[in-house]
Amino acid sequence: MKHLFLTLFAFLFFITGKAQILEPVKWKTSIEKKSNTNYLLIFDGVIEKEWHMYSQFTADGGALPLEVLFKNEKAFYKLIGKTKEGKTKTVFNDVFGVNETFFEGKVHLVQEVALLNPKLKMIEASLNYQVCKQSCINSEKSFTFSIPVETSAEVAAVVDTVKVDSVPIVSEESSPTIAPKVSKEVIDTPKKDQKKGLWTIFFLAFLGGFAALLTPCVFPMIPMTVSFFTKQSKTPAQGKKNAFIYGISIIAIYVILGLLVTGIFGADALNALSTNVWFNLIFFLLLIVFAASFLGAFEIMLPNSWANKVDRQADRGGIVGILFMALALAIVSFSCTGPIVGTLLVESASKGGIAPIVGMLGFSSALALPFMLFAMFPGWLHSLPKSGGWLNTVKVFLGFLELALAFKFLSNADLVLQLHLLEREVFLAIWIAIFGALAFYLFGKLTMPHDSPLSHISVGRLFMGLTVLSFTIYMIPGLWGAPLKLINAFPPPVEYSESPNGVGSSLPGSVATMLPEGAKSGPHGITVFDDYDRGLAYAKSVNKPILLDFTGFACVNCRKMENNVWSDEKIKSILKNEVVLISLYVDDKRDLPKNEQFVSKSTGESIETIGDKWTDFMISKYQTNTQPLYVLTDLKGNSLNIETPTTSYDPDVMLYQKWLKTGIANYKN
């Protein structure tokens, strides 16, 4: 009787559950003729309230970015530039430790194409994207753009059949309409978030400018420059005026540099480059070179002939002479300021937009401010500390910081490629070694090539050494799984490690060596399978119910459930001891073997990747397409929870525990 009731309920759930297949984005497409050969392909989407869809330019290591794909493009037409986006929003995600860029409310995409074949009748395109609220959906949609026959500049809009997560539906707009004018907007974060990000860049660049000021190439030039203005000027007022012009000239030179970087690469391209594997590798090598220079291996210098020519121009006097004096400072001090400027440009480039300009404004303001202030108030010069070996100490200190930052870019590339060459333990070991060496340097136990003899260390240097040593010790427990919240945004996530439980769990004789075949150690040391058949076989061998976890690598709320709910001792005990956990990743892009690829009976679509397989399983079995999705089943695949067969994201630990306990009790009965 019980089995009959379960079968009846499953049938009713199948009939009513189809409404759970969600599609939070409704699409329209249109095409606009730009010239005889060029057309604009326009995608407009309306996103349901509280949902958001991720941009092409969202940072690596977070949610899945939007992919805009075109079929047969090289044979019949070519793409002009990258697909442009309308307004987006950028917010820091503390789960993944990255800035995520996404659309809310509306999506606007524009791609310009140039026809290579005048007989081309249509262009086929598709969008692959992730849309999230409390759960996430990975969607794939196909569109067909019909090339207008008329030669006028009027828009002919065509909307074709759309695929919703491989479930075919017909678009509401099936007749031609006049397309709206193409928006000229590109990535444009809301003013509040944009200002917050730019102020952060300005502040960090300002600190970088002060750091550059305390280097051997710049600091000794302050009294020399101030003395020049006070002696050469006929009146104190003129000296102050010239010093002010000098400071403004310094700022102008570096801001122009920021303008050149933005102008050459483009505001959008900078952000795209920052998430590219090859550019992350280039940034890594660049910062290694900068670090080696600061540590004393060599000096990065501009040609001496440049400095000589600029010095001659500086002798002309007047405003032009002052401008060339500022340029001379930039050239002569390049061996110290160059690595800092380069690092700031790399970091600000990752934000895109006008960030490089703002970064150079902050850096140059800090660099120019002392020259202006000391020229206006020459008496302050007596309060300046004397030049000496401490300036090289500042330079070496910055070299260690550059070295540590370099490995963040290498980690980004490794995470994108999923090579597992720089997993969490390796990254932390490198940082522990770098900051440990820095602590020894500050204590005077290590010396660099350009250091002066050191008979004792100052109290300030001692305090700085103790601070760095404390930070080094703080990182050590991270090797054993500590979350390290102070630096959460820098190392790879806990899951991206040799052992999610830390180094100790992989030692001989530990639980990790006793894992069942096909299983791995998951979050919080929970044994987990990522293949349904292997997990089912193990569940039968131990006679335990199965907890199916439909999840995704880029699913934020999946990670929140794992971090905040599964970490609870009551939940962790259940997942470790009373069920067999099978986590199926619907965004796994690895191809299935050819003999395992098939056409879905539910949707009629080709199932070619592992993620496709688990998505089809979820849709055909449970009539939903959202993650996370949790299902407690018996060994025959029947749901154990009668009233609520499935559950999704819910941070309430007590409700989740009750749901698990109810299903387990039904299994035992």
Side-chain angles (χ1 to χ4, degrees), residues 426-445:
V426 179
F427 183 95
L428 289 175
I430 292 171
W431 267 38
I432 290 168
I434 291 172
F435 285 98
L438 175 57
F440 278 109
Y441 173 77
L442 292 173
F443 290 139
K445 301 302 180 183

Side-chain angles (χ1 to χ4, degrees), residues 14 91 101 323 391 448 568 589 606 644 651:
F14 179 82
V91 174
T101 303
L323 177 62
L391 291 174
M448 294 292 126
D568 185 273
K589 298 299 184 183
S606 297
T644 53

Side-chain angles (χ1 to χ4, degrees), residues 218-238:
V218 181
F219 189 80
M221 298 186 70
I222 296 176
M224 293 170 55
T225 306
V226 171
S227 297
F228 172 82
F229 285 124
T230 54
K231 290 178 181 179
Q232 297 296 321
S233 303
K234 295 179 180 180
T235 64
Q238 186 183 11

Side-chain angles (χ1 to χ4, degrees), residues 301-311 331:
M301 299 181 65
L302 295 176
N304 289 329
S305 59
W306 292 15
N308 294 333
K309 290 179 181 178
V310 170
D311 278 339
I331 293 173

Side-chain angles (χ1 to χ4, degrees), residues 431 435 466-476 486-487:
W431 267 38
F435 285 98
L466 290 173
T467 301
V468 174
L469 181 61
S470 300
F471 177 67
T472 305
I473 295 172
Y474 166 79
M475 289 191 289
I476 293 175
L486 288 179
I487 57 170

Side-chain angles (χ1 to χ4, degrees), residues 464-508:
M464 182 61 72
L466 290 173
T467 301
V468 174
L469 181 61
S470 300
F471 177 67
T472 305
I473 295 172
Y474 166 79
M475 289 191 289
I476 293 175
L479 298 173
W480 283 268
L484 304 182
K485 294 182 180 180
L486 288 179
I487 57 170
N488 184 50
F490 287 94
V494 175
E495 293 78 16
Y496 195 79
S497 60
E498 294 179 5
S499 173
N501 292 328
V503 173
S505 67
S506 62
L507 295 175

Side-chain angles (χ1 to χ4, degrees), residues 304-459:
N304 289 329
S305 59
W306 292 15
N308 294 333
K309 290 179 181 178
V310 170
D311 278 339
R312 287 195 293 270
Q313 294 296 324
D315 293 335
R316 295 172 55 180
I319 294 178
V320 175
I322 293 173
L323 177 62
F324 277 100
M325 281 185 64
L327 185 58
L329 171 70
I331 293 173
V332 172
S333 63
F334 186 79
S335 61
C336 291
T337 59
I340 299 175
V341 170
T343 304
L344 288 173
L345 286 174
V346 167
E347 278 294 298
S348 57
S350 67
K351 310 299 180 184
I354 63 170
I357 301 171
V358 174
M360 289 300 94
L361 178 63
F363 175 83
S364 57
S365 297
L367 196 64
L369 190 61
F371 288 94
M372 291 190 288
L373 290 177
F374 282 109
M376 293 178 181
F377 307 99
W380 290 5
L381 284 174
H382 300 294
S383 63
L384 277 179
K386 294 181 179 180
S387 300
W390 67 273
L391 291 174
N392 192 67
T393 301
V394 172
K395 191 176 177 182
V396 172
F397 185 90
L398 293 174
F400 277 104
L401 295 184
E402 296 257 6
L403 188 60
L405 182 61
F407 284 93
K408 171 58 180 172
F409 289 97
L410 184 62
S411 174
N412 288 344
D414 183 60
L415 282 167
V416 173
L417 296 175
Q418 289 289 300
L419 297 177
H420 289 267
L421 297 177
L422 195 64
E423 293 176 316
R424 186 179 176 88
E425 293 91 344
V426 179
F427 183 95
L428 289 175
I430 292 171
W431 267 38
I432 290 168
I434 291 172
F435 285 98
L438 175 57
F440 278 109
Y441 173 77
L442 292 173
F443 290 139
K445 301 302 180 183
L446 289 176
T447 56
M448 294 292 126
H450 299 146
D451 282 335
S452 303
L454 189 66
S455 59
H456 67 280
I457 62 172
S458 65
V459 175

